């Protein structure tokens, strides 16, 4: 389980990216799959695809919160959902597009001690 | 030749084509359309043009949108499940008025209708599609006003307590427990009850509302539980009560604190046994009803005072929600005012865009004893009087303006710190017989500072 071991104190970054094929999903609430990554020292250590096709938006939100996600990278996201996540300490990088792999590589680079900071939305 | 033929006559078509050959004219035509229009290529990229209405709807500029995937720009609720563009390319069919919701760049959810038409080459192969996106916000607002229905997404609040409630609402709705909503009159208890029903698995069932404070007690019993033929002189046939009407759905009992002690017992029995006996009946009737109750008085206090049964209170208060007053969520006033304005525009057909800064500042400084309902009335009053696009102070109700301005004129209470500073200066001045030089020395401040402070506190 990814919830049990990696933690922010140890430099692990838990990232969720709703996906649409190889790209970032355009709409968080209707995403069919959410990819969960644990990134540490510039490398992706764990990758778990979560199928959320049958789940209503509040359930998706609860899943993201329950998994202790620190950063959510997404395309469009409703203001309320964004507010809930941010209130619970999840950093939301919205309006992102393009291949998940590219975004993840940039995020992984940012977790390196000398890496560039993660750009805000 | 009928109208349609005349419109499509070769001469007219030729002249339109002539105009369309001119790029500038084509842009002018497309940009003058109030719906978002753009072309999607086979690889789902936006090609060619992206008109001004599409820019307004999505929040993306033409130079940002063209060349990008349509789903990255539109962020439509259909994109990942039943994409209408796929239909056009796979079947060559025209898609008309497909309702959906898009998310604009600034995270607003916009209800839209999407239409698509295929563009075919000489061999009838679909090479692209023209997508027309119509903003349906006004229609949606109007529909909600007419049906008195509320959408969870439309309750917007920046207030932490309200956000906490809204966050929990889906969980509350999913459960089958009884809910007690408490809050002052006009805080939105009834709206919250409706949202709970709409989010629940009972949404297909009825939502029945009964205001316990509006009906005299003997009638309330027959209204709630119904009666059997012959129960009283005029009972010529069986009449179902609201409980039966709400079977499979939700019964909203507003102002539940107004119920008599006898009726409280009957309601408690229903909550415990899920069955009731109609007036004049002998057999119990079972009803699958979720009770959502509301009270504008503090029921806990009523329990303490002995006017409300403690056991019923605990039965109702399985899930307790307490709504803050509008004065406690002052930060929501601009949001709510704009939301009400939009609703009023939809109903009246007016196009009032905003509030002036002064008008908004007055609203922010008012206490709203009638809460959101009072704000609704104030905005409606202003909308009726406002002929232009902006609501000014002169359009607000006179008594509100007078109250707020009157309070501003009243001298504010000095802060304890300022008041103690004033006392100290007066005491030192008395001690040194009014010598400012000595007083400044005694206080450890310059003469100029002492003079400024004396002026501020009105010390001569």
């Amino acid at each position: 389980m990814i919830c049990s071991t990696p933690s922010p104190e140890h430099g692990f970054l838990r990232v969720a990216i709703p996906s649409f094929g190889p790209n970032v999903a355009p709409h968080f609430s209707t995403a069919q799959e959410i990819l969960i990554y644990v990134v540490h020292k510039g490398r992706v250590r764990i990758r778990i695809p979560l199928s959320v096709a049958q789940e209503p938006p509040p359930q998706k939100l609860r899943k993201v919160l329950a998994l202790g996600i620190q950063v959510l990278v997404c395309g469009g996201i409703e203001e309320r959902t964004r507010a809930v996540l941010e209130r619970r300490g999840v950093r939301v990088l919205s309006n992102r597009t393009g291949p998940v792999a590219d975004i993840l590589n940039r995020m992984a680079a940012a977790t390196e001690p000398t890496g560039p900071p993660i750009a805000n939305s | 030749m009928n109208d349609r033929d005349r419109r499509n006559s070769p001469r007219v078509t030729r002249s339109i084509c002539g105009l369309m050959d001119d790029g500038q004219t084509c842009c002018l035509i497309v940009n003058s359309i109030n719906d978002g229009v753009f072309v999607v290529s086979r690889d789902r990229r936006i090609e060619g043009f992206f008109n001004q209405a599409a820019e307004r709807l999505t929040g993306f500029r033409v130079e940002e949108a063209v060349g990008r995937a349509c789903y990255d720009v539109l962020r439509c609720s259909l994109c990942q499940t039943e994409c209408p563009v796929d239909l056009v390319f796979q079947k060559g069919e025209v898609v008309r008025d497909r309702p959906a919701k898009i998310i604009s760049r600034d995270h607003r959810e916009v209800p839209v209708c999407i239409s698509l038409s295929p563009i075919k080459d000489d061999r009838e192969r679909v090479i692209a599609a023209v997508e027309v996106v119509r903003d349906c916000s006004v229609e949606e607002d109007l529909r909600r006003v007419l049906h008195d229905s509320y959408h969870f997404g439309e309750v917007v609040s920046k207030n932490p307590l309200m956000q906490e409630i809204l966050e929990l609402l889906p969980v509350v709705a999913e459960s089958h427990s009884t809910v007690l909503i408490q809050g002052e009159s006009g805080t939105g208890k009834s709206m919250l009850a409706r949202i709970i029903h709409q989010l629940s698995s009972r949404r297909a069932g009825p939502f029945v509302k009964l205001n316990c404070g509006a009906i005299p007690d003997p009638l309330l019993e027959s209204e709630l539980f119904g009666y059997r033929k012959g129960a009283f002189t005029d009972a010529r046939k069986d009449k179902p009560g609201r409980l039966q009407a709400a079977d499979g759905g939700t019964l909203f009992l507003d102002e539940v604190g107004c119920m008599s002690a006898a009726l409280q017992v009957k309601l408690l029995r229903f909550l415990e046994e899920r069955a009731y006996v109609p007036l004049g009946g002998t057999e119990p009737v079972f009803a699958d009803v979720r009770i959502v109750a509301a009270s504008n008085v503090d029921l806990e206090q009523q329990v303490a005072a002995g006017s409300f049964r403690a056991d019923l209170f605990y039965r109702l208060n399985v899930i307790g929600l307490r709504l803050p007053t509008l004065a406690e969520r002052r930060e929501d006033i601009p949001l709510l005012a704009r939301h009400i304005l939009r609703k009023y525009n939809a109903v009246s057909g007016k196009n009032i865009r905003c509030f002036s800064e002064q008008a908004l500042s007055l609203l922010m400084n008012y206490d709203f004893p009638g809460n959101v309902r009072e704000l609704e009335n104030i905005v409606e009053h202003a909308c009726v009087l406002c002929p232009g696009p902006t609501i000014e102070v002169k359009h607000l109700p006179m008594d509100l303006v007078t109250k707020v301005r009157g309070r501003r004129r009243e001298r504010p209470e000095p802060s304890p710190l300022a008041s103690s500073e004033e006392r100290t200066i007066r005491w030192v001045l008395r001690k040194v017989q009014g010598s400012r030089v000595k007083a400044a020395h005694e206080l450890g401040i310059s003469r100029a500072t002492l003079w400024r402070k004396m002026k501020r506190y009105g010390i001569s």
Side-chain angles (χ1 to χ4, degrees):
Chain A
M1 283 291 287
I2 60 162
C3 295
S4 53
T5 45
S7 65
E9 305 89 67
H10 298 102
F12 289 93
L13 186 67
R14 223 171 278 170
V15 184
I17 309 181
S19 63
F20 181 47
N23 297 326
V24 177
H27 193 292
F28 172 73
S29 297
T30 56
Q32 307 287 290
E33 187 180 59
I34 298 179
L35 299 171
I36 309 290
Y37 293 96
V38 175
V39 183
H40 183 241
K41 289 186 180 169
R43 290 181 65 186
V44 174
R45 306 285 168 168
I46 302 171
R47 177 189 181 277
I48 302 174
L50 285 183
S51 174
V52 287
Q54 303 301 318
E55 289 175 11
Q59 192 64 34
K60 284 177 190 159
L61 187 65
R62 274 203 289 278
K63 238 174 202 173
V64 168
L65 291 171
L67 288 168
I69 298 300
Q70 294 154 271
V71 182
L72 174 81
V73 183
C74 60
I77 184 166
E78 298 93 337
E79 189 55 54
R80 178 199 309 291
T81 314
R82 198 172 114 110
V84 169
L85 287 165
E86 285 182 343
R87 249 163 47 79
R88 297 290 188 88
V90 180
R91 195 167 163 198
V92 180
L93 304 177
S94 58
N95 292 337
R96 299 300 152 113
T97 58
V100 171
D102 291 356
I103 287 173
L104 203 66
N105 287 340
R106 283 201 295 274
M107 297 207 73
T111 61
E112 282 187 294
T114 54
I118 303 166
N120 271 319
S121 58
Chain B
M1 192 161 56
N2 63 25
D3 266 4
R4 189 185 174 88
D5 292 337
R6 202 171 293 124
R7 277 202 302 272
N8 293 331
S9 75
R11 192 167 56 82
V12 176
T13 312
R14 263 200 307 279
S15 47
I16 289 172
C17 286
L19 281 172
M20 296 295 268
D21 283 343
D22 173 8
Q24 267 190 334
T25 314
C26 182
C27 275
L28 189 73
I29 293 170
V30 173
N31 277 330
S32 67
I33 299 170
N34 219 11
D35 297 340
V37 182
F38 52 92
V39 172
V40 182
S41 68
R42 195 165 256 287
D43 63 350
R44 308 293 186 271
R45 299 208 170 267
I46 294 172
E47 301 257 330
F49 62 81
F50 189 77
N51 73 346
Q52 285 172 0
E55 285 186 322
R56 280 197 300 275
L57 260 175
T58 61
F60 287 95
R61 291 192 306 275
V62 58
E63 56 270 29
E64 293 170 312
V66 170
R68 273 173 105 164
C70 60
Y71 51 78
D72 279 340
V73 175
L74 213 55
R75 290 102 71 89
C76 167
S77 52
L78 302 175
C79 285
Q80 296 160 98
T81 47
E82 35 188 333
C83 173
V85 181
D86 282 349
L87 260 182
V88 174
F89 281 105
Q90 282 161 13
K91 297 185 179 168
E93 285 175 2
V94 173
V95 174
R96 285 196 201 285
D97 289 334
R98 182 70 65 85
K101 276 184 180 157
I102 64 166
I103 297 180
S104 68
R105 193 180 201 161
D106 56 354
H107 313 293
R108 269 183 316 116
E109 239 188 325
V110 186
V112 293
C113 270
I114 295 176
S115 300
L116 282 138
S117 301
I119 300 173
K120 295 179 180 174
D121 64 8
D122 297 343
R123 284 186 282 171
E124 286 294 300
R125 284 181 313 191
V126 182
I127 51 167
V130 179
E131 186 157 348
V132 180
V133 184
R134 186 157 53 85
D135 184 352
C136 297
S137 310
V138 175
E139 288 94 321
E140 184 69 13
D141 285 343
L142 193 59
R143 192 185 60 76
R144 281 188 200 144
V145 171
L146 289 174
H147 293 275
D148 190 24
S149 72
Y150 301 93
H151 177 237
F152 182 42
E154 84 178 77
V155 189
V156 181
S157 176
K158 287 181 182 173
N159 179 267
L161 181 57
M162 279 302 286
Q163 278 190 8
E164 195 72 35
I165 291 172
L166 294 173
E167 207 177 300
L168 285 172
L169 222 48
V171 184
V172 171
E174 271 174 32
S175 84
H176 295 282
S177 308
T178 310
V179 182
L180 176 64
I181 309 168
Q182 295 192 80
E184 278 185 16
S185 189
T187 45
K189 299 183 291 293
S190 162
M191 180 186 76
L192 205 66
R194 262 184 196 280
I195 293 172
I196 289 172
H197 172 70
Q198 278 162 9
L199 289 175
S200 73
S201 55
R202 295 171 173 267
R203 70 180 76 87
F207 176 83
V208 177
K209 189 176 168 179
L210 179 63
N211 190 327
C212 306
I215 303 171
D217 209 63
L219 280 179
L220 186 60
E221 186 175 351
S222 68
E223 199 60 41
L224 185 59
F225 300 108
Y227 55 78
R228 292 279 180 247
K229 184 182 170 186
F232 44 88
T233 317
D234 280 338
R236 294 199 178 94
K237 57 179 183 178
D238 289 357
K239 181 187 175 276
R242 301 282 175 109
L243 271 171
Q244 196 176 327
D247 198 13
T250 307
L251 175 64
F252 174 51
L253 295 175
D254 203 1
E255 296 185 41
V256 73
C258 295
M259 264 188 189
S260 70
L263 207 52
Q264 284 177 35
V265 177
K266 284 193 96 173
L267 181 62
L268 178 66
R269 188 173 299 163
F270 171 73
L271 287 172
E272 281 170 350
E273 296 166 10
R274 294 284 149 193
Y276 61 96
V277 181
L279 220 63
T282 48
E283 292 298 308
V285 178
F286 288 86
D288 171 28
V289 177
R290 184 188 195 182
I291 302 282
V292 177
S295 174
N296 58 2
V297 288
D298 193 335
L299 282 189
E300 256 176 309
Q301 278 180 13
Q302 282 204 334
V303 169
S307 54
F308 199 82
R309 289 184 69 97
D311 42 9
L312 178 59
F313 172 72
Y314 295 121
R315 273 281 171 192
L316 291 174
N317 198 30
V318 178
I319 297 172
L321 300 172
R322 198 175 283 269
L323 289 176
T325 62
L326 190 52
E328 286 170 321
R329 45 185 285 222
R330 215 168 271 281
E331 65 270 41
D332 286 343
I333 293 172
L335 274 177
L336 286 165
R338 277 192 281 271
H339 176 70
I340 298 163
L341 181 63
R342 232 183 52 194
K343 266 198 336 194
Y344 187 81
N345 276 341
V347 177
S348 65
K350 280 196 167 189
N351 191 20
I352 304 169
R353 288 174 195 276
C354 56
F355 291 83
S356 73
E357 255 180 56
Q358 292 85 350
L360 208 54
S361 155
L362 265 170
L363 291 178
M364 290 290 284
N365 282 292
Y366 184 57
D367 281 338
F368 292 100
N371 294 298
V372 184
R373 192 175 294 129
E374 189 179 5
L375 177 63
E376 274 178 348
N377 294 343
I378 289 168
V379 175
E380 188 175 338
H381 175 280
C383 286
V384 171
L385 296 187
C386 178
T390 308
I391 291 178
E392 306 281 353
V393 172
K394 63 184 175 194
H395 304 130
L396 296 176
M398 211 48 221
D399 57 334
L400 175 142
V401 179
T402 320
K403 271 182 202 163
V404 175
R405 287 196 172 149
R407 212 176 38 208
R408 274 184 189 169
R409 269 197 290 274
E410 283 169 19
R411 193 165 173 250
E413 284 285 308
S415 73
L417 202 64
S419 142
S420 93
E421 188 177 58
E422 184 187 350
R423 271 201 311 273
T424 310
I425 292 170
R426 283 184 192 278
W427 180 75
V428 172
L429 278 169
R430 264 201 308 275
K431 193 177 143 194
V432 295
Q433 281 100 39
S435 164
R436 289 183 191 182
V437 181
K438 283 180 187 168
H441 181 73
E442 185 96 345
L443 290 163
I445 54 175
S446 71
R447 277 173 60 205
T449 307
L450 177 65
W451 180 79
R452 265 201 312 276
K453 285 181 187 291
M454 284 171 69
K455 196 177 168 197
R456 188 196 304 159
Y457 299 127
I459 305 170
S460 55

